[in-house]
Amino acid sequence: MKRVTLALTLALAAPASAQTVSLTLPDAVARALTSGPDVSTARANLQKAQATLRATRADPTTIVTTLTQAEQGAAAAEATLAGTKLNVAQTVIGQYLAASEAAGRVSLNEAQVRLDERTLQIARARLTARVATQLDVNRAQTTLNQDRQELADARASLPVLEAQLVRTLGLNTGADLRLATPPAPPRLSATLSGLQTGLEKRLPTLVQAAQGAEFAALQVRVSNNDYTPARTLQDAQVALENARRDLEGAQRGANTQVRDAYRSAQDAVQRVELARQTLANAQTTLTQAQARLRAGTAAAVDVQSAQVQAQQAQFGVTQAQGNLWRSLAALSAASGTDVTGLVR
């Protein structure tokens, strides 16, 4: 009886097994856009604004300024929802890639440490054979210690980065993530002029600035009569001029931001190509090292070193593609147009 009680106590005290969640990058973005708190809030605000607009239109006593405000509120809420989706997608993409790359870095650092350990063994053997010095051994040991520390840092960062993604996606704390390798980024087919066209209808800040100018113009029209005080009309005209200046400034700033983001994306595309060329060269070097090993003109450690270099080059491609994903997400948020293909 005591054994049964003890077993039951231990079972109740044991922590529940962590939830295992397998995700791809598109899955993670879709999950955040469907049930993420920011998107849910923006969606609820849009529904509220639309309900207000319907009630305002149905009220026969509604005046033109009230109706205009209700219409603008619904349009602004719609733009805010679209912008929120792009911003959330940018956050999820960044966090997913950070966690995925951290896992890749752990694997790469593990391979580097194994090579360092083999190099240290060789240095000690050479010292014993009196064809190397103690300094050679010390240098090999220092390199090993440094790479072991980098490995420890990479391992420590991985759960932190995964926890950030877990919170963004609204998963249970402590969920065990299984992240698939991110897919290759899509081609940047959009043109800069195309992304800059119509910003005032897509970006929430520009939508609100344009609405401010439109409402100020309406105030001028309703004040331009013989029964409204002249000072009221003058104030409305000044407000209109200020609103138009604000809109022009916001448009210039948005156009500059889109242009900069577009150039960054173009640069990221080129860096992916360079990384792939580096990988091809590293793979060729590895093939040659393997051939030399079979021919007896290279040692096993030479092949191991070439393998690590090839793995580093592969990780370089992964990082370059990740930077391109991030650049596309930033360009999407800046332009109000999804160029990642992940926002639905």
Side-chain angles (χ1 to χ4, degrees), residues 1-343:
M1 181 66 180
K2 291 182 178 179
R3 291 181 178 178
V4 173
T5 303
L6 178 60
L8 179 58
T9 301
L10 293 174
L12 293 175
S17 58
Q19 175 191 14
T20 300
V21 180
S22 298
L23 289 173
T24 65
L25 179 58
D27 290 340
V29 173
R31 186 182 187 108
L33 297 185
T34 299
S35 57
D38 291 342
V39 176
S40 297
T41 298
R43 189 177 291 116
N45 289 337
L46 172 59
Q47 294 171 348
K48 179 180 178 180
Q50 290 173 334
T52 299
L53 176 58
R54 287 193 296 270
T56 302
R57 285 174 172 171
D59 186 352
T61 64
T62 298
I63 61 177
V64 64
T65 52
T66 301
L67 177 58
T68 298
Q69 288 176 321
E71 291 173 341
Q72 290 185 341
E78 186 173 358
T80 298
L81 174 58
T84 300
K85 287 182 176 181
L86 293 174
N87 289 331
V88 168
Q90 182 181 10
T91 298
V92 172
I93 289 171
Q95 292 179 343
Y96 188 102
L97 293 172
S100 179
E101 289 172 9
R105 188 176 297 279
V106 168
S107 178
L108 175 59
N109 288 346
E110 288 173 342
Q112 184 64 57
V113 166
R114 288 193 296 270
L115 176 60
D116 293 342
E117 290 171 341
R118 178 58 178 154
T119 301
L120 178 59
Q121 291 174 355
I122 293 173
R124 287 171 175 169
R126 288 170 60 84
L127 176 64
T128 301
R130 302 182 67 179
V131 292
T133 66
Q134 183 62 45
L135 179 58
D136 295 324
V137 175
N138 293 344
R139 286 172 174 169
Q141 183 67 65
T142 299
T143 299
L144 173 59
N145 293 342
Q146 291 173 341
D147 288 337
R148 279 177 172 169
Q149 185 58 52
E150 288 187 11
L151 174 58
D153 292 342
R155 286 173 172 168
S157 69
L158 181 56
V160 175
L161 296 172
E162 289 181 341
Q164 292 175 350
L165 180 59
V166 164
R167 287 194 296 270
T168 299
L169 298 181
L171 299 172
N172 294 332
T173 302
D176 183 17
L177 293 183
R178 293 289 185 268
L179 303 182
T181 301
R187 291 180 61 254
L188 179 58
S189 56
T191 63
L192 175 58
S193 60
L195 293 174
Q196 288 178 322
T197 301
L199 288 176
E200 71 281 356
K201 297 180 180 179
R202 298 193 304 270
L203 298 184
T205 54
L206 282 188
V207 167
Q208 293 175 359
Q211 288 179 344
E214 292 172 0
F215 192 76
L218 174 61
Q219 294 283 33
V220 170
R221 289 196 298 273
V222 299
S223 301
N224 190 13
N225 50 63
D226 56 3
Y227 53 83
T228 299
R231 183 56 185 266
T232 300
L233 175 59
Q234 293 172 357
D235 290 344
Q237 290 171 333
V238 171
L240 175 58
E241 293 174 0
N242 292 335
R244 285 174 174 171
R245 278 195 295 268
D246 291 342
L247 175 58
E248 291 173 357
Q251 287 174 328
R252 285 194 300 270
N255 279 316
T256 299
Q257 190 172 6
V258 173
R259 184 176 65 250
D260 292 344
Y262 191 84
R263 289 175 178 172
S264 295
Q266 287 180 315
D267 179 70
V269 170
Q270 296 301 318
R271 293 187 181 277
V272 169
E273 293 304 316
L274 293 174
R276 287 173 177 167
Q277 293 172 12
T278 300
L279 174 59
N281 294 336
Q283 289 173 334
T284 299
T285 300
L286 174 58
T287 300
Q288 292 173 346
Q290 291 169 333
R292 290 172 55 221
L293 177 64
R294 290 191 297 269
T297 58
V301 69
D302 296 324
V303 175
Q304 185 177 0
S305 178
Q307 288 172 334
V308 172
Q309 291 175 356
Q311 190 171 347
Q312 289 174 334
Q314 180 62 66
F315 187 63
V317 172
T318 298
Q319 288 181 305
Q321 289 184 335
N323 288 334
L324 178 52
W325 270 118
R326 294 182 182 92
S327 296
L328 293 175
L331 178 57
S332 298
S335 66
T337 300
D338 176 45
V339 295
T340 67
L342 299 181
V343 180

